[in-house]
Amino acid sequence: MSEIANTSSQSAQVAPPPGSLWHHFENLEHQNEATTLGMWVFLATELLIFGALFAGYAAYRSWYPAAFEAASGRLNLLIGGINTVVLLTSSLTMVLAVRAAQLGSLRALVTLLILTSLLGTVFLALKAVEYYTDYLDNLVPGLAFNPEEWRQVHVNPAHVQLFLVFYYVMTGLHAVHLTFGIVIMAVLAVMAWRRAFTPEHHTAVEMWGLYWHFVDIVWIFLLPLLYLIATRKTLM
Amino acid sequence: MFAEIPLFPEQASTHAERVDTLFFFLLAVTGAVAILVTVLVIYFAVRYRRRPGGPPTPRILGSVWLETFWSVFPFLIFLIMFAWGAQVYFVLTEPPADALEIYVVGRQWMWKVQHPEGHREINELHVPRGKAVKLTLTSEDVIHDFSVPAFRTKIDVLPGRYVHTWFQATKTGRFHLYCAQYCGTNHAGMIGSIVVMEPSEYAAWLNSHAEGSLALQGRKLFLKLQCVSCHSADSRARTPVLEDLFGSTVHLRDGSTVTADAAYIRESILKPRAKIVAGWEPIMPTFQGQVDEEDLIKLIAYIKSLRPGQTPVRTEDAAPPVRGTISP
Amino acid sequence: MSTLTAPFRPQALATPPPEPKANYLNVSYGVKSWLLTTDHKRIALLYLVSVTLMFFVGGAAATLIRVNLLTPAGSLVTADTYNKLFSAHGIIMVFFFLVPVVPTVLGNFLLPMMIGARDLAFPRLNLLSWYAYMAGATLILWVIFSGGVDTGWTFYTPFSSKSSHASVIPAMLAIVIGGFSGIFTGLNFVVTVHRLRAPGLTWFRLPLFVWSLYATSIILLLATPVLAMTLILVAVERVWGIGIFDPALGGDPLLFQHLFWFYSHPAVYIMILPGMGIVSEIIPCFSRKNIFGYKFVAFASIGIAVLGFLVWAHHMFVAGQSRFAAMIFSFLSYLVAVPSAIKVFNWTATLYKGSITYHTPMLFALGFIGLFTLGGLTGLMLAALGLNVHVHDTYFIIAHFHFIMVGGMVMAYMAGLHYWWPKITGRLYPEGWGRLAALIVFIGFILTFSPQFVLGYLGMPRRYHAYAQEFQVLNVLSTAGASILAVGYLLPLIYLIWSLRYGKKAGDNPWDATGLEWQSPSPPPPDNFAEPPVVTCGPYEYALGPGVRSQESGVKIPETEVHNV
């Protein structure tokens, strides 16, 4: 944890930006430590909420491996793959943004925050397109789904639907988290432009950077578990 | 009037005494601890009540020895409780091999019982005294629970699965049957009776209502649904003959083995592609939607009874078939 | 050397205080100053009002249930209404009373003060917590009064996902939203305890109430998200007809139960740990003795929290899991009983050679020890597999958890409410009425729930709106007890509100207790302390006496507050 708040050692000497020190903290370093710990604790709860989904997924995959494999092979790995690159790049811009904050490079900070937010938005847009292709491909239980096509390849359509439900709920929950992150990055960009951050005081950037990386890591787990179960002949 | 307030359930099965003995042991130990703690608290609260001019309170911080003692000693008692409880549980969940088998189907809000000899009952279950009875239960909708307090048995009854419980009644009489897993509006009305009779009376009762055993009804279904068209004894058939199948070990395509029990038969009828037997092609259609739980019980009883040479001939007269579909 | 020798009257001020200083209650007025407050003390009061309201709504449901059970035919309400009543009772009492009450009312108020801080780590998050609670509570009240939900608080599938025609999704949504309230509170508490302790306040000088809140917060943080996700999956199944938990479509109803109980068992420790913490504060104070085995009690709280995550399937011994799994959960359930037992023994040993008075908080705390012990001991019975089969889903279970939650937890809450009432409001409650209430609650409780153990062993299932004839007498006894219990709960409602206006003004430390919260005025100023306190000794140095304490240990006790005999 100390690596993240490494620039706060000078905080005692440099005055904090006005209004940023809360009345019940001794000093800004104290406050930053608390907010950083708060973010880590929050991420622990997020781990558990996704964990419940992973547990359910693991149970059903162990019971119905064939159906999960077959269904997984029909997901749009092209978009999934591009999205992975997009999200990883956004984590890069996020890390660079934190570095910019540490160095006091205002323009770089604002630009990189905006870029992060934009890349997240690109992910969401591609995800929406992907959902649409899933719809066209009859992969939406309850809306567009053809049990017969699965029976013809000797796969239980009910089990395929189970896989697809987990696919939509897990990627949906991830998308919700990503949306929060996009909004927050935009807000941070505005705050940065209004000079709310200095090399000594920019905990908010680091903290929400943590959040962004967490959302990225969740996707890193989702990709192989959802898209890469089967050996594929096609990308989509 | 007060003499009729029941305070303890009667013991009507071999399980009851076991469970009650365990209960009394637990009651004795926990009761002793309860009394100990209550007496100590009250005694200390009175003996050490504040008195003006009383002695100063000592600065006692603790005692590692005491803490160890009252952590380890209770835990050892707990181990005994655990072991005894597990032992009784094993008896409760291990039906004897020669138990009488009866099938039960639960649905909102009634119990349907099917005896192998063919008797069907609603909300009542007749059993002989002194013989082990094994129940195979399933639900047609939500989770129910088959609870007979006088026998000290209870089991959740799940949809899509068979569960088992067993008991051996020791007294004749009529005993409460309750559904003990909340299942909707009339959960409190899903009750009935277990009627225990002397073995001779039970036999007489069986004879009086004979409408054909479960196995016989299953045979009729076997013909009606045209199972026999594939599963005939004709050596040119492309499907296994089912004689002596029940209870045997089946070798599956993927190399694993499975015992051909009731659950296996049920699954093979509803989801034939789930477990493909080695050496055979997966061509059996599913009968999901064409057979309900009671039909399945009859078919299973029939296959259970099927001995070599007993497979019906394909041309035997039967009702027109119901159309099947090719699906897993 | 104890100083509180006047046997029956907590110390009121001999002379009226000098001109009134600004405290958190009168520093600002107006609806906005309350609804937009970030002061943890005001937020605690906001919670007090809303949680109390929910308690009485849940209690009204319980009243109707018990009245309906006076007759075997259950003729007060229809079966459907009855099912909705017990569902409402369970949902409200579990999610909107027992889980939040002590952390959000007493915890919010006292945690910063007990560690010498000016507020929680994230005051605005605290306010958001309350709004989340209010949103959930409003929604569940709307659900209940607009048609109700009939799945029980346990929402078992496939009934909840396929069969029930009631407002299942809004009810689950209310619980999920309320759950976020708990998560935010837990997060706030954890960071506060880690980062805002006063100088000199090491972990092993923390009051045990703080330890218990910390352990509770861990559970809130790690368990609640799983519940949220599980209920969302049930909602998905209901809306789209996918068989996540429906066997007809390939799903597994037992998976729901595993996921549900993975939260709901630790939830019972969320409910009880803060109560135990309260008792750990009160027993030393009213015995004028240090707690026996401080570190053991502290570690027992953590132990209960950790082990509590490993026992969830003891709710499922007859549900259809393997015998092997059942054995493991039975064994672990016995293990988790050990830290609770340690606490009970430690409290009892604290009484030894104490100097004990019978003020209302102490009466409630002693009642807690008795009733919680009885309830916990029946838990040992339930962990025995062979017995569990017979009493599962009967009134034995109902009696077991009500002994712990009502005989235990609610009494602990009453104890804490009375103990800290002077600090929170600056007023003393009427001691005579307080003791009467404690006695009535105790008697009413025992009469209500003891017959239920008998009913359960006899086999009367739970969630039955009508029952077999032979159970009537015991049911009537239970309802009679419930009417007494209701009086016992209404009394404090009346006299506590009365005391706000007419109670004697309390001094800063009417109980002559240790603890940093007692070293600021009653009611406290907005920032809690004039200057941050410095701690140099443990939290329960009663035996040293105040004069000795202030000299040898440096704990600041203003001269005017040292009470001479």
Side-chain angles (χ1 to χ4, degrees):
Chain A
M1 241 177 275
S2 55
E3 316 87 72
I4 296 163
N6 61 358
T7 55
S8 48
S9 52
Q10 300 163 304
S11 60
Q13 293 98 3
V14 182
S20 63
L21 176 62
W22 298 337
H23 79 288
H24 56 288
F25 284 106
E26 299 292 312
N27 52 48
L28 210 58
E29 175 180 357
H30 194 204
Q31 177 176 313
N32 291 339
E33 282 175 8
T35 48
T36 306
L37 177 60
M39 177 52 73
W40 279 104
V41 173
F42 174 65
L43 292 180
T45 74
E46 293 283 274
L47 199 62
L48 265 296
I49 208 174
F50 278 97
L53 288 174
F54 280 109
Y57 164 92
Y60 284 124
R61 179 166 161 189
S62 71
W63 293 328
Y64 311 130
F68 269 49
E69 221 183 282
S72 167
R74 289 279 297 277
L75 291 181
N76 195 329
L77 184 55
L78 181 63
I79 296 187
I82 296 176
N83 261 344
T84 307
V85 174
V86 166
L87 210 55
L88 282 173
T89 311
S90 76
S91 264
L92 174 64
T93 55
M94 186 67 230
V95 164
L96 290 174
V98 172
R99 183 168 157 67
Q102 290 169 352
L103 293 178
S105 320
L106 180 61
R107 183 117 42 98
L109 174 58
V110 176
T111 313
L112 287 161
L113 284 174
I114 293 178
L115 257 180
T116 307
S117 188
L118 267 174
L119 284 168
T121 315
V122 167
F123 180 102
L124 283 184
L126 286 174
K127 193 86 204 132
V129 171
E130 185 186 353
Y131 281 157
Y132 182 62
T133 68
D134 292 333
Y135 170 75
L136 291 177
D137 214 9
N138 278 334
L139 291 173
V140 184
L143 225 56
F145 188 77
N146 181 6
E148 264 316 303
E149 66 172 305
W150 297 99
R151 288 196 199 111
Q152 269 159 16
V153 288
H154 308 317
V155 172
N156 189 332
H159 301 164
V160 169
Q161 290 198 13
L162 275 175
F163 171 86
L164 289 172
V165 163
F166 276 98
Y167 164 71
Y168 287 112
V169 175
M170 288 166 105
T171 55
L173 188 65
H174 176 261
V176 167
H177 282 83
L178 190 59
T179 309
F180 275 130
I182 291 169
V183 170
I184 285 166
M185 290 306 147
V187 168
L188 286 178
V190 169
M191 284 173 66
W193 187 62
R194 294 212 184 127
R195 295 166 195 281
F197 303 121
T198 67
E200 296 78 23
H201 313 293
H202 56 268
T203 309
V205 179
E206 293 188 348
M207 210 173 84
W208 290 107
L210 269 178
Y211 174 81
W212 192 267
H213 294 315
F214 174 80
V215 175
D216 198 1
I217 290 177
V218 170
W219 178 257
I220 301 298
F221 276 86
L222 288 184
L223 181 76
L225 287 177
L226 294 173
Y227 293 81
L228 300 178
I229 306 178
T231 48
R232 285 167 169 259
K233 297 202 177 85
T234 57
L235 270 180
M236 42 195 288
Chain B
M1 190 259 287
F2 283 105
E4 288 161 22
I5 304 172
L7 290 176
F8 201 79
E10 59 182 314
Q11 294 181 336
S13 81
T14 54
H15 294 324
E17 207 183 311
R18 268 190 206 101
V19 170
D20 287 351
T21 312
L22 170 63
F23 174 64
F24 289 129
F25 163 69
L26 292 168
L27 192 61
V29 174
T30 55
V33 174
I35 292 174
L36 174 69
V37 171
T38 311
V39 162
L40 274 179
V41 168
I42 294 179
Y43 174 67
F44 287 164
V46 171
R47 163 89 173 78
Y48 297 112
R49 66 188 180 284
R50 185 163 311 164
R51 283 173 282 249
T57 54
R59 188 168 177 267
I60 301 175
L61 295 180
S63 152
V64 177
W65 182 90
L66 255 183
E67 301 278 3
T68 312
F69 169 74
W70 65 42
S71 307
V72 172
F73 182 63
F75 182 63
L76 294 174
I77 309 267
F78 295 168
L79 285 179
I80 299 176
M81 293 176 171
F82 160 71
W84 189 334
Q87 189 262 330
V88 172
Y89 179 72
F90 263 79
V91 174
L92 290 174
T93 53
E94 192 104 41
D98 60 348
L100 197 62
E101 287 214 35
I102 303 179
Y103 300 90
V104 178
V105 176
R107 56 172 292 221
Q108 286 165 326
W109 288 282
M110 64 199 304
W111 294 105
K112 296 189 282 191
V113 174
Q114 289 184 269
H115 291 256
E117 299 80 3
H119 289 70
R120 313 172 77 201
E121 310 187 66
I122 305 263
N123 293 335
E124 269 196 4
L125 168 59
H126 283 73
V127 292
R129 183 184 66 80
K131 286 206 62 174
V133 174
K134 173 182 166 188
L135 300 180
T136 300
L137 308 104
T138 186
S139 163
E140 281 179 10
D141 38 42
V142 298
I143 302 180
H144 298 281
D145 186 287
F146 194 89
S147 165
V148 187
F151 293 171
R152 312 291 189 273
T153 57
K154 180 182 282 105
I155 184 93
D156 270 7
V157 179
L158 303 167
R161 234 179 90 173
Y162 284 141
V163 294
H164 305 282
T165 186
W166 82 277
F167 55 81
Q168 180 168 319
T170 51
K171 279 162 83 169
T172 56
R174 186 172 275 267
F175 305 102
H176 285 295
L177 160 66
Y178 300 118
C179 173
Q181 180 64 255
Y182 175 68
C183 55
T185 307
N186 210 19
H187 169 58
M190 194 164 161
I191 60 178
S193 307
I194 314 290
V195 181
V196 184
M197 311 168 111
E198 289 297 340
S200 51
E201 289 172 17
Y202 179 71
W205 177 84
L206 282 181
N207 286 332
S208 67
H209 291 106
E211 53 179 81
S213 68
L214 266 184
L216 180 62
Q217 293 173 53
R219 185 177 189 278
K220 290 182 187 156
L221 268 178
F222 192 80
L223 294 168
K224 175 179 164 189
L225 293 166
Q226 288 292 297
C227 315
V228 70
S229 63
C230 292
H231 289 288
S232 70
D234 191 322
S235 60
R236 279 168 295 161
R238 297 160 296 155
T239 46
V241 174
L242 303 176
E243 295 161 359
D244 265 349
L245 169 66
F246 196 90
S248 68
T249 306
V250 179
H251 294 270
L252 301 178
R253 228 185 201 188
D254 60 7
S256 61
T257 58
V258 70
T259 306
D261 58 7
Y264 170 77
I265 308 281
R266 180 177 177 280
E267 186 184 39
S268 302
I269 297 172
L270 295 176
K271 300 176 197 163
R273 306 289 159 90
K275 292 186 173 65
I276 302 171
V277 182
W280 298 98
E281 291 301 313
I283 55 170
M284 175 171 169
T286 178
F287 287 82
Q288 180 107 44
Q290 296 175 65
V291 286
D292 62 20
E293 294 294 341
E294 295 171 79
D295 288 337
L296 285 164
I297 287 168
K298 291 170 191 163
L299 286 165
I300 290 167
Y302 172 60
I303 289 171
K304 207 169 162 195
S305 72
L306 200 50
R307 296 283 163 272
Q310 290 183 340
T311 309
V313 178
R314 262 193 296 171
T315 52
E316 189 168 318
D317 240 319
V322 182
R323 293 238 41 91
T325 52
I326 311 287
S327 37
Chain C
M1 189 151 353
S2 64
T3 59
L4 195 61
T5 59
F8 297 109
R9 252 175 282 112
Q11 285 278 9
L13 287 184
T15 55
E19 79 282 358
K21 292 175 278 193
N23 60 54
Y24 78 102
L25 289 168
N26 61 24
V27 69
S28 56
Y29 292 100
V31 173
K32 255 178 78 170
S33 77
W34 279 90
L35 292 183
L36 294 178
T37 182
T38 53
D39 182 347
H40 65 101
K41 302 181 287 300
R42 287 196 167 194
I43 294 178
L45 288 191
L46 290 174
Y47 268 111
L48 176 63
V49 172
S50 33
V51 170
T52 304
L53 175 71
M54 295 306 274
F55 174 74
F56 281 102
V57 174
T63 307
L64 291 170
I65 289 171
R66 285 277 18 127
V67 172
N68 180 77
L69 291 175
L70 278 172
T71 58
S75 32
L76 182 74
V77 292
T78 63
D80 218 23
T81 305
Y82 185 86
N83 296 338
K84 291 174 177 173
L85 279 173
F86 75 70
S87 302
H89 175 72
I91 291 174
I92 291 184
M93 289 307 200
V94 169
F95 295 114
F96 294 97
F97 177 69
L98 285 168
V99 163
V101 66
V102 174
T104 61
V105 177
L106 296 174
N108 262 332
F109 197 99
L110 295 164
L111 179 59
M113 298 190 71
M114 282 181 156
I115 63 174
R118 270 175 253 136
D119 207 314
L120 289 178
F122 307 119
R124 286 171 302 181
L125 186 65
N126 201 10
L127 185 64
L128 183 61
S129 249
W130 182 70
Y131 277 108
Y133 176 85
M134 289 303 286
T138 310
L139 183 53
I140 199 66
L141 286 177
W142 176 83
V143 165
I144 288 169
F145 289 108
S146 75
V149 62
D150 65 347
T151 57
W153 76 277
T154 47
F155 293 98
Y156 269 26
T157 58
F159 179 72
S160 66
S161 55
K162 210 169 68 159
S163 177
S164 165
H165 301 298
S167 315
V168 178
I169 294 183
M172 294 193 299
L173 193 62
I175 294 170
V176 171
I177 295 174
F180 277 106
S181 168
I183 293 177
F184 296 153
T185 299
L187 196 156
N188 231 331
F189 283 6
V190 167
V191 177
T192 304
V193 174
H194 275 281
R195 291 277 164 234
L196 270 94
R197 301 191 306 276
L201 189 50
T202 60
W203 279 88
F204 290 124
R205 287 177 177 170
L206 283 171
L208 289 168
F209 184 53
V210 176
W211 274 98
S212 72
L213 286 175
Y214 184 81
T216 303
S217 301
I218 301 288
I219 308 177
L220 275 167
L221 288 167
L222 297 181
T224 317
V226 177
L227 177 75
M229 206 57 239
T230 307
L231 294 181
I232 290 174
L233 286 177
V234 176
V236 167
E237 179 164 350
R238 250 182 107 77
V239 171
W240 280 291
I242 317 295
I244 308 179
F245 301 120
D246 181 2
L249 302 170
D252 184 11
L254 247 64
L255 181 63
F256 171 81
Q257 293 182 34
H258 281 292
L259 289 172
F260 176 82
W261 287 112
F262 185 80
Y263 162 77
S264 298
H265 188 80
V268 316
Y269 297 115
I270 295 176
M271 297 187 242
I272 198 66
L273 275 170
M276 291 171 152
I278 293 175
V279 171
S280 294
E281 296 298 317
I282 290 179
I283 302 281
C285 177
F286 290 92
S287 321
R288 315 308 298 174
K289 265 192 76 206
N290 215 315
I291 188 86
F292 189 94
Y294 170 93
K295 274 195 186 171
F296 282 89
V297 179
F299 283 128
S301 291
I302 304 293
I304 290 173
V306 171
L307 289 172
F309 272 99
L310 303 178
V311 301
W312 74 89
H314 68 214
H315 300 266
M316 296 165 57
F317 283 150
V318 301
Q321 57 181 339
S322 76
R323 299 198 290 184
F324 189 52
M327 297 247 294
I328 294 178
F329 282 107
S330 169
F331 175 77
L332 287 168
S333 302
Y334 278 110
L335 206 54
V336 79
V338 174
S340 297
I342 290 177
K343 288 197 180 198
V344 172
F345 296 140
N346 276 290
W347 291 322
T348 308
T350 304
L351 296 172
Y352 175 70
K353 290 205 172 157
S355 172
I356 298 172
T357 55
Y358 309 126
H359 294 90
T360 305
M362 186 59 159
L363 289 181
F364 274 115
L366 291 174
F368 170 95
I369 296 179
L371 297 176
F372 166 78
T373 302
L374 289 176
L377 288 171
T378 57
L380 292 176
M381 295 181 170
L382 296 175
L385 289 164
L387 182 61
N388 188 287
V389 170
H390 174 53
V391 295
H392 173 73
D393 255 340
T394 66
Y395 265 79
F396 197 94
I397 305 285
I398 295 189
H400 160 75
F401 65 69
H402 281 92
F403 258 79
I404 300 190
M405 287 308 156
V406 181
M409 184 52 220
V410 178
M411 288 193 82
Y413 172 59
M414 287 283 133
L417 198 59
H418 285 77
Y419 181 56
W420 280 295
W421 188 258
K423 177 57 56 187
I424 294 174
T425 62
R427 301 280 181 158
L428 295 172
Y429 61 85
E431 183 61 40
W433 283 103
R435 291 174 182 195
L436 183 63
L439 190 63
I440 294 178
V441 164
F442 188 78
I443 292 175
F445 173 84
I446 297 219
L447 187 55
T448 309
F449 290 104
S450 304
Q452 294 187 7
F453 277 120
V454 183
L455 279 171
Y457 204 83
L458 283 169
M460 179 174 170
R462 52 188 293 201
R463 300 174 164 172
Y464 265 36
H465 83 284
Y467 52 82
Q469 177 68 41
E470 64 259 32
F471 297 142
Q472 184 173 23
V473 174
L474 290 166
N475 270 292
V476 170
L477 279 175
S478 180
T479 302
S483 61
I484 300 174
L485 191 59
V487 171
Y489 288 139
L490 286 171
L491 273 179
L493 184 67
I494 298 171
Y495 66 67
L496 286 177
I497 294 180
W498 174 91
S499 77
L500 288 175
R501 185 86 192 275
Y502 302 107
K504 293 201 193 74
K505 283 203 199 296
D508 299 355
N509 193 354
W511 311 115
D512 190 30
T514 61
L516 296 177
E517 75 269 26
W518 298 105
Q519 286 170 35
S520 77
S522 307
D527 255 0
N528 298 341
F529 299 98
E531 30 183 295
V534 176
V535 175
T536 54
C537 71
Y540 304 112
E541 295 295 355
Y542 287 100
L544 290 182
V548 176
R549 271 182 289 179
S550 59
Q551 285 162 19
E552 284 188 4
S553 60
V555 172
K556 292 189 186 178
I557 300 181
E559 281 305 322
T560 52
E561 295 304 312
V562 173
H563 298 289
N564 296 309
V565 175

